[in-house]
Amino acid sequence: MSEISRRRAIGALAGGAGALSMGGVALSREALGWSEDEGLYTLPPLPYPPNALEPHIDEQTMLVHHGKHHAGYVRGLNKALEMLHQIRTGQGDRATLQHWQRQLSFHAGGHINHTLFWNGMAPPDHGGGGRPTGALATQIERDFASFDKMAWQFRAASASVEGSGWGWLVWEPLGHRLMILQMQNQQQMMFAGAVPLLGVDVWEHAYYLRYQNRRKDYLDAYMNIINWSEIGRRFDAARA
Ligand code: MN3
């Protein structure tokens, strides 16, 4: 996924098509936690209480996933940016450039993926689950024949990611169509131009406490908490 596409996705997330009110919290430019004053990324709060997605995703998983794993990506991103700054200005070891470039890609991927992930879910009684409507629903029918076929491929592709990674529904703007992709780790196997719309985390840390090795059960549960209105908003923004 190119940086431009990531920025487009985050720009959309940040309210380019109008602020979204979710759980009383309006998403804004601060959705990604960038602090202009400090020149650092900060961990954005969850858009709902950590127990809000029970029983589909349990509170302890949410607390550890957000407070430890996602926080780690934010720290890693800031560290990579700082080390690359030092290398550019002659204070750092140029021989380590490749290492920090890899760190940048991995941790920026982690931070953006998780920010999209949290905001792409909602409790079932606050808009989670169901099916998309509007232009996204029409596009899904065009590109996958039906919502059910898309949902099947999304779950199957996500279930079969080797090791740690993500399943994504993306907008491919050149072909003007939706696609489902697998992502390994936080950044591999996405192609330039793909705009992320819906992504599910299939690292074991996302489901192991409740589901152990039953990734498919976790994915079935995940379908009950997808915030389709937010995904539809990202789709509209990606095509604008
Ligand atoms: Mn994760």
Side-chain angles (χ1 to χ4, degrees), residues 16-219:
L20 173 74
S21 178
M22 184 165 32
V25 181
L27 295 183
S28 69
R29 285 277 162 200
E30 286 72 47
L32 200 55
W34 172 253
S35 167
E36 191 68 34
D37 291 344
E38 298 178 81
L40 290 171
Y41 290 92
T42 61
L43 179 66
L46 287 171
Y48 33 68
N51 65 354
L53 302 179
E54 291 267 11
H56 308 291
I57 301 182
D58 59 286
E59 180 175 18
Q60 191 185 3
T61 294
M62 291 294 291
L63 287 170
V64 174
H65 197 176
H66 176 258
K68 303 296 182 186
H69 292 278
H70 187 176
Y73 301 128
V74 173
R75 274 198 309 277
L77 171 56
N78 287 327
K79 174 77 172 176
L81 289 170
E82 170 60 23
M83 296 308 290
L84 288 165
H85 168 76
Q86 290 190 15
I87 291 168
R88 282 195 304 275
T89 55
Q91 305 160 62
D93 180 0
R94 289 191 168 184
T96 66
L97 178 85
Q98 171 77 329
H99 170 73
W100 291 111
Q101 292 288 164
R102 287 177 182 272
Q103 289 285 298
L104 176 64
S105 182
F106 178 82
H107 289 289
H111 180 35
I112 291 170
N113 295 343
H114 286 84
T115 304
L116 290 167
F117 182 54
W118 308 131
N119 292 298
M121 297 187 287
D125 58 353
H126 286 81
R131 293 178 175 219
T133 57
L136 177 58
T138 303
Q139 191 73 39
I140 286 172
E141 285 168 18
R142 201 197 80 172
D143 292 338
F144 298 95
S146 71
F147 173 82
D148 287 337
K149 288 187 174 67
M150 183 283 295
W152 175 83
Q153 187 187 344
F154 181 79
R155 290 199 306 276
S158 303
S160 58
V161 169
E162 292 176 309
S164 299
W166 296 72
W168 287 99
L169 174 69
V170 305
W171 175 243
E172 196 285 276
L174 300 177
H176 216 66
R177 57 168 299 173
L178 296 164
M179 290 184 183
I180 287 168
L181 299 177
Q182 295 178 323
M183 172 188 272
Q184 288 182 341
N185 293 328
Q186 302 291 1
Q187 80 280 28
Q188 293 158 4
M189 292 178 66
M190 296 285 274
F191 56 80
V195 181
L197 302 177
L198 172 70
V200 63
D201 189 338
V202 294
W203 286 56
E204 285 185 345
H205 67 225
Y207 61 86
Y208 211 83
L209 291 179
R210 172 147 295 180
Y211 297 96
Q212 292 82 51
N213 62 324
R214 302 188 306 278
R215 187 190 279 183
K216 285 181 179 170
D217 291 353
Y218 158 70
L219 289 166

Side-chain angles (χ1 to χ4, degrees), residues 213-231:
N213 62 324
R214 302 188 306 278
R215 187 190 279 183
K216 285 181 179 170
D217 291 353
Y218 158 70
L219 289 166
D220 288 343
Y222 172 75
M223 300 305 289
N224 297 312
I225 47 175
I226 296 173
N227 183 350
W228 283 112
S229 66
E230 166 64 9
I231 308 308

